């Protein structure tokens, strides 16, 4: 699986958009980009995933660059409840679905 | 659906003791897995299973055993607890990623916080 690089921490004001970057310069053509988050000490929560097109769901948007070497997770209107560690994971779409490789992620602090 | 449940929530063991961490899911997921998370670290895969009767090792399997006799349950056994196994343990499950499947979304349990003294 391709490795990812994320900033260790970011701050965002409540109500503003939070843009979390991820570099994955060694990504292969069959590898997807996944985002999970972990609030306090809870189990990680799936947010969104994509291959090469931009994706949007009720939680967030995922913007993947044309060369697929980086991506950005966007929380359009961050709230205090979005304070969490956000993990960017690159994974091939194979039969071993369980083998997500988590790095140390980005700790997002949303403030008033 | 209850989702993924884990018991116990907290456990304290003495070095050398054995115990089983329980994990169950009611979503009929084929895939189940165990991760451990040490302070300030990301999750590391211990063992995983692609279906009943099939298990395999992850990144850090030493000191742990698993079995999968049913689709619903995936217990993790600590054979002889060591202080290095002090961690938070998460169980996760997901569907089999067949062609056309919507996602690799994994559902995680709330975790078991284990301390070995």
């Amino acid at each position: 699986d391709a490795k990812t690089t994320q900033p260790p921490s970011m701050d965002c004001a409540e109500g503003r958009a939070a843009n979390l970057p991820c570099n994955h310069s060694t990504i292969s053509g069959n590898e997807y980009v996944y985002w999970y988050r972990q609030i306090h000490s809870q189990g990680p929560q799936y947010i969104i995933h994509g291959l090469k097109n931009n994706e949007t769901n009720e939680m967030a948007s995922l913007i993947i660059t044309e060369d697929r070497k980086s991506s950005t997770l966007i929380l359009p209107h961050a709230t205090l409840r979005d304070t969490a560690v956000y993990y960017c994971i690159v994974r091939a779409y194979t039969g071993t679905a369980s083998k997500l490789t988590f790095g140390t992620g980005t700790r997002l602090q949303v403030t008033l | 659906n209850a989702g993924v449940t884990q018991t116990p929530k907290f456990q304290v063991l003495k070095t050398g003791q054995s115990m089983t961490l329980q994990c169950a899911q009611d979503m009929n997921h084929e895939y189940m897995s165990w991760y451990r998370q040490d302070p300030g670290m990301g999750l590391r895969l211990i063992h995983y299973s692609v279906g009943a009767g099939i298990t395999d090792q992850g990144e850090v399997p030493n000191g742990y055993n698993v079995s999968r006799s049913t689709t619903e349950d995936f217990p993790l056994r600590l054979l002889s607890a060591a202080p290095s196994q002090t961690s938070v343990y998460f169980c996760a499950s997901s569907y089999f990623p067949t062609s056309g499947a919507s996602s690799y979304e994994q559902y995680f349990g709330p975790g078991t916080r284990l301390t070995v003294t």
Side-chain angles (χ1 to χ4, degrees):
Chain A
D1 297 339
K3 293 191 181 212
T4 62
T5 304
Q6 298 178 252
S9 64
M10 294 182 65
D11 293 327
C12 179
E14 189 176 34
R16 306 295 295 268
N19 297 285
L20 291 87
C22 180
N23 285 326
H24 32 79
S25 58
T26 60
I27 192 170
S28 301
N30 66 341
E31 290 182 313
Y32 284 67
V33 179
Y34 293 83
W35 284 84
Y36 282 75
R37 72 180 183 184
Q38 188 173 25
I39 296 173
H40 194 42
S41 299
Q42 299 175 21
Q45 175 190 24
Y46 166 84
I47 302 173
I48 199 167
H49 78 287
L51 181 61
K52 53 185 177 182
N53 297 322
N54 297 337
E55 302 288 344
T56 297
N57 62 20
E58 64 278 4
M59 290 181 67
S61 295
L62 174 61
I63 307 298
I64 303 174
T65 58
E66 192 169 343
D67 63 7
R68 303 206 326 119
K69 293 183 186 297
S70 66
S71 60
T72 300
L73 177 74
I74 301 172
L75 307 179
H77 305 287
T79 70
L80 297 177
R81 285 178 293 182
D82 292 320
T83 293
V85 178
Y86 288 77
Y87 296 99
C88 170
I89 299 163
V90 173
R91 185 70 179 96
Y93 196 82
T94 70
T96 52
S98 298
K99 297 175 74 173
L100 295 177
T101 301
F102 288 79
T104 52
T106 295
R107 183 172 298 277
L108 175 68
Q109 181 68 51
V110 181
T111 57
L112 291 172
Chain B
N1 286 350
V4 179
T5 58
Q6 293 183 237
T7 56
K9 285 186 168 52
F10 301 93
Q11 183 69 50
V12 179
L13 289 178
K14 293 187 188 304
T15 298
Q17 288 184 316
S18 62
M19 79 158 295
T20 299
L21 279 63
Q22 301 293 343
C23 175
Q25 53 91 10
D26 60 359
M27 297 172 281
N28 203 31
H29 286 165
E30 296 90 348
Y31 283 90
M32 296 187 74
S33 54
W34 278 100
Y35 295 84
R36 61 176 286 175
Q37 185 173 33
D38 299 327
M41 306 284 288
L43 280 72
R44 291 185 293 169
L45 182 66
I46 305 172
H47 285 285
Y48 67 98
S49 169
V50 301
I54 306 169
T55 64
D56 206 347
Q57 296 180 350
E59 181 186 355
V60 288
N62 292 340
Y64 308 95
N65 272 357
V66 292
S67 60
R68 184 96 178 270
S69 56
T70 67
T71 299
E72 295 78 18
D73 300 299
F74 191 43
L76 178 73
R77 281 182 289 277
L78 278 70
L79 309 173
S80 177
S84 60
Q85 294 179 304
T86 294
S87 190
V88 181
Y89 291 84
F90 291 103
C91 179
S93 72
S94 67
Y95 286 113
F96 186 91
T98 56
S99 175
S102 62
S103 81
Y104 250 39
E105 177 177 358
Q106 288 206 23
Y107 296 82
F108 284 81
T112 293
R113 283 146 185 81
L114 175 69
T115 301
V116 183
T117 61

